Amino acid sequence: MMVVGSDHGGLDLKEGIKAFLGSRGIVFEDCGTDNGDSVDYPDFGERVARMVSEGAAEKGILFCGTGIGMSIVANKFPGVRAALVTDPFMARMAKEHNNANILVLGGRVLTEKDAREIVAAWLDASFEGGRHQGRLDKIAALERELAQSR
Ligand code: RB5
Protein backbone atom coordinates (compact mmCIF):
# COMPACT_ATOMS: atom_id res chain seq x y z
CA MET A 1 0.00 0.00 0.00
CA MET A 2 1.13 3.54 -0.74
CA VAL A 3 0.63 6.56 1.48
CA VAL A 4 0.75 10.21 0.46
CA GLY A 5 0.84 13.43 2.42
CA SER A 6 1.50 17.14 2.03
CA ASP A 7 1.39 20.51 3.67
CA HIS A 8 -0.42 23.46 2.06
CA GLY A 9 2.59 24.15 -0.20
CA GLY A 10 2.35 20.70 -1.73
CA LEU A 11 -1.42 20.26 -1.71
CA ASP A 12 -2.16 21.11 -5.36
CA LEU A 13 0.59 18.87 -6.66
CA LYS A 14 -0.53 16.08 -4.36
CA GLU A 15 -4.05 16.29 -5.75
CA GLY A 16 -2.70 16.06 -9.30
CA ILE A 17 -0.55 13.07 -8.45
CA LYS A 18 -3.42 11.37 -6.64
CA ALA A 19 -5.38 11.52 -9.91
CA PHE A 20 -2.36 10.07 -11.72
CA LEU A 21 -2.03 7.24 -9.19
CA GLY A 22 -5.72 6.51 -9.56
CA SER A 23 -5.37 6.34 -13.34
CA ARG A 24 -2.71 3.67 -12.84
CA GLY A 25 -4.91 1.70 -10.47
CA ILE A 26 -2.61 2.30 -7.52
CA VAL A 27 -4.23 2.06 -4.10
CA PHE A 28 -3.13 4.77 -1.68
CA GLU A 29 -4.07 6.42 1.59
CA ASP A 30 -3.97 10.20 1.94
CA CYS A 31 -2.76 11.42 5.34
CA GLY A 32 -3.66 15.06 4.58
CA THR A 33 -3.56 17.98 4.56
CA ASP A 34 -6.84 18.36 2.72
CA ASN A 35 -7.28 22.13 2.43
CA GLY A 36 -5.16 25.19 1.75
CA ASP A 37 -4.86 26.40 5.34
CA SER A 38 -1.30 26.91 6.49
CA VAL A 39 -0.06 23.85 8.39
CA ASP A 40 3.29 22.58 9.64
CA TYR A 41 4.98 20.12 7.30
CA PRO A 42 6.51 18.04 10.13
CA ASP A 43 3.03 16.98 11.23
CA PHE A 44 2.16 15.48 7.86
CA GLY A 45 5.63 14.23 7.08
CA GLU A 46 5.55 12.34 10.36
CA ARG A 47 2.31 10.57 9.48
CA VAL A 48 3.63 9.25 6.19
CA ALA A 49 7.15 8.45 7.36
CA ARG A 50 5.91 6.65 10.48
CA MET A 51 3.68 4.40 8.39
CA VAL A 52 6.55 3.50 6.09
CA SER A 53 9.00 3.09 8.96
CA GLU A 54 6.64 0.77 10.85
CA GLY A 55 5.64 -1.24 7.79
CA ALA A 56 2.02 -0.05 7.68
CA ALA A 57 2.76 1.24 4.17
CA GLU A 58 5.26 -0.08 1.66
CA LYS A 59 6.08 3.33 0.18
CA GLY A 60 5.01 6.94 0.20
CA ILE A 61 5.08 10.25 -1.58
CA LEU A 62 5.45 13.53 0.31
CA PHE A 63 4.88 17.04 -0.99
CA CYS A 64 5.68 20.46 0.41
CA GLY A 65 6.67 23.74 -1.20
CA THR A 66 10.25 22.78 -1.99
CA GLY A 67 10.31 19.19 -0.77
CA ILE A 68 13.17 20.10 1.56
CA GLY A 69 11.27 20.16 4.83
CA MET A 70 9.49 16.89 4.13
CA SER A 71 12.82 15.25 3.25
CA ILE A 72 14.38 16.35 6.50
CA VAL A 73 11.45 15.03 8.54
CA ALA A 74 11.06 11.73 6.72
CA ASN A 75 14.72 10.79 6.97
CA LYS A 76 14.53 10.95 10.78
CA PHE A 77 12.56 7.71 10.77
CA PRO A 78 14.39 4.37 10.93
CA GLY A 79 14.28 2.49 7.69
CA VAL A 80 13.02 5.45 5.70
CA ARG A 81 15.00 6.36 2.62
CA ALA A 82 13.35 9.55 1.40
CA ALA A 83 14.59 11.06 -1.85
CA LEU A 84 13.93 14.66 -2.91
CA VAL A 85 13.81 14.42 -6.67
CA THR A 86 13.49 17.01 -9.41
CA ASP A 87 13.69 14.98 -12.63
CA PRO A 88 12.96 11.48 -13.95
CA PHE A 89 16.64 10.46 -13.97
CA MET A 90 16.95 11.20 -10.27
CA ALA A 91 13.70 9.33 -9.67
CA ARG A 92 14.99 6.24 -11.45
CA MET A 93 18.29 6.38 -9.59
CA ALA A 94 16.46 6.87 -6.31
CA LYS A 95 14.90 3.45 -6.81
CA GLU A 96 17.67 1.59 -8.66
CA HIS A 97 20.53 2.66 -6.38
CA ASN A 98 18.96 3.98 -3.16
CA ASN A 99 15.80 1.89 -3.00
CA ALA A 100 14.02 5.05 -1.87
CA ASN A 101 10.80 4.14 -0.13
CA ILE A 102 9.54 7.71 0.03
CA LEU A 103 9.61 10.08 -2.93
CA VAL A 104 9.56 13.78 -2.06
CA LEU A 105 8.35 16.44 -4.49
CA GLY A 106 8.21 20.23 -4.35
CA GLY A 107 4.86 21.73 -5.23
CA ARG A 108 6.45 25.13 -5.86
CA VAL A 109 9.24 23.63 -7.93
CA LEU A 110 7.62 21.17 -10.34
CA THR A 111 4.85 21.33 -12.87
CA GLU A 112 2.25 18.57 -12.58
CA LYS A 113 3.45 17.14 -15.90
CA ASP A 114 7.03 16.96 -14.63
CA ALA A 115 5.86 15.40 -11.38
CA ARG A 116 3.86 12.73 -13.21
CA GLU A 117 6.96 11.78 -15.21
CA ILE A 118 9.00 11.65 -12.01
CA VAL A 119 6.48 9.47 -10.19
CA ALA A 120 6.20 7.13 -13.17
CA ALA A 121 9.99 6.78 -13.37
CA TRP A 122 10.20 5.94 -9.66
CA LEU A 123 7.33 3.46 -9.77
CA ASP A 124 8.57 1.71 -12.90
CA ALA A 125 12.17 1.30 -11.75
CA SER A 126 13.53 -1.63 -9.71
CA PHE A 127 16.20 -1.72 -7.01
CA GLU A 128 19.38 -3.19 -8.43
CA GLY A 129 20.67 -4.70 -5.18
CA GLY A 130 24.27 -5.95 -5.29
CA ARG A 131 26.77 -3.28 -4.28
CA HIS A 132 23.89 -0.89 -3.63
CA GLN A 133 22.46 -3.23 -1.00
CA GLY A 134 25.80 -3.17 0.79
CA ARG A 135 25.62 0.61 0.95
CA LEU A 136 22.09 0.55 2.31
CA ASP A 137 23.26 -1.97 4.90
CA LYS A 138 25.85 0.56 6.03
CA ILE A 139 23.17 3.21 6.42
CA ALA A 140 21.04 0.80 8.46
CA ALA A 141 24.05 -0.01 10.66
CA LEU A 142 24.60 3.71 11.24
CA GLU A 143 20.95 4.09 12.22
CA ARG A 144 21.29 1.32 14.79
CA GLU A 145 24.55 2.67 16.16
CA LEU A 146 23.21 6.21 16.52
CA ALA A 147 20.01 5.00 18.17
CA GLN A 148 22.02 3.08 20.77
CA SER A 149 24.36 5.98 21.57
CA ARG A 150 21.55 8.39 22.42
C1 RB5 B 1 5.67 26.32 3.62
O1 RB5 B 1 5.56 27.68 3.37
C2 RB5 B 1 7.01 25.79 3.17
O2 RB5 B 1 8.00 26.22 4.04
C3 RB5 B 1 6.98 24.29 3.08
O3 RB5 B 1 6.00 23.90 2.19
C4 RB5 B 1 8.25 23.61 2.62
O4 RB5 B 1 8.68 24.17 1.41
C5 RB5 B 1 9.33 23.50 3.59
O5 RB5 B 1 10.40 22.94 3.33
Side-chain angles (χ1 to χ4, degrees):
M1 202 264 292
M2 181 185 288
V3 62
V4 302
S6 75
D7 71 353
H8 54 289
L11 178 62
D12 288 348
L13 190 59
K14 182 181 71 174
E15 293 305 316
I17 293 301
K18 280 166 60 180
F20 177 63
L21 296 175
S23 75
R24 289 184 55 143
I26 294 170
V27 176
F28 61 86
E29 180 177 326
D30 185 354
C31 289
T33 189
D34 59 8
N35 64 66
D37 295 349
S38 182
V39 292
D40 296 333
Y41 61 81
D43 297 334
F44 295 89
E46 176 191 352
R47 293 181 191 179
V48 169
R50 190 178 292 282
M51 287 181 71
V52 173
S53 181
E54 295 178 353
E58 179 199 350
K59 56 190 154 192
I61 308 179
L62 279 168
F63 308 79
C64 64
T66 59
I68 295 170
M70 287 299 196
S71 306
I72 293 170
V73 172
N75 280 311
K76 299 293 181 194
F77 286 78
V80 166
R81 295 176 299 279
L84 173 55
V85 161
T86 55
D87 65 46
F89 173 73
M90 290 176 72
R92 183 164 63 82
M93 288 297 108
K95 178 68 75 61
E96 291 183 354
H97 288 194
N98 310 110
N99 202 15
N101 49 14
I102 295 184
L103 186 70
V104 190
L105 302 175
R108 296 172 181 156
V109 178
L110 300 170
T111 65
E112 186 180 315
K113 177 178 176 291
D114 288 342
R116 284 176 178 236
E117 290 172 6
I118 287 168
V119 171
W122 179 62
L123 290 174
D124 294 342
S126 301
F127 179 50
E128 288 181 355
R131 68 187 189 282
H132 302 297
Q133 183 59 58
R135 292 160 186 169
L136 299 190
D137 291 344
K138 289 191 175 188
I139 295 171
L142 275 173
E143 272 183 355
R144 288 193 296 273
E145 180 197 319
L146 293 169
Q148 282 166 7
S149 66
R150 282 175 182 157

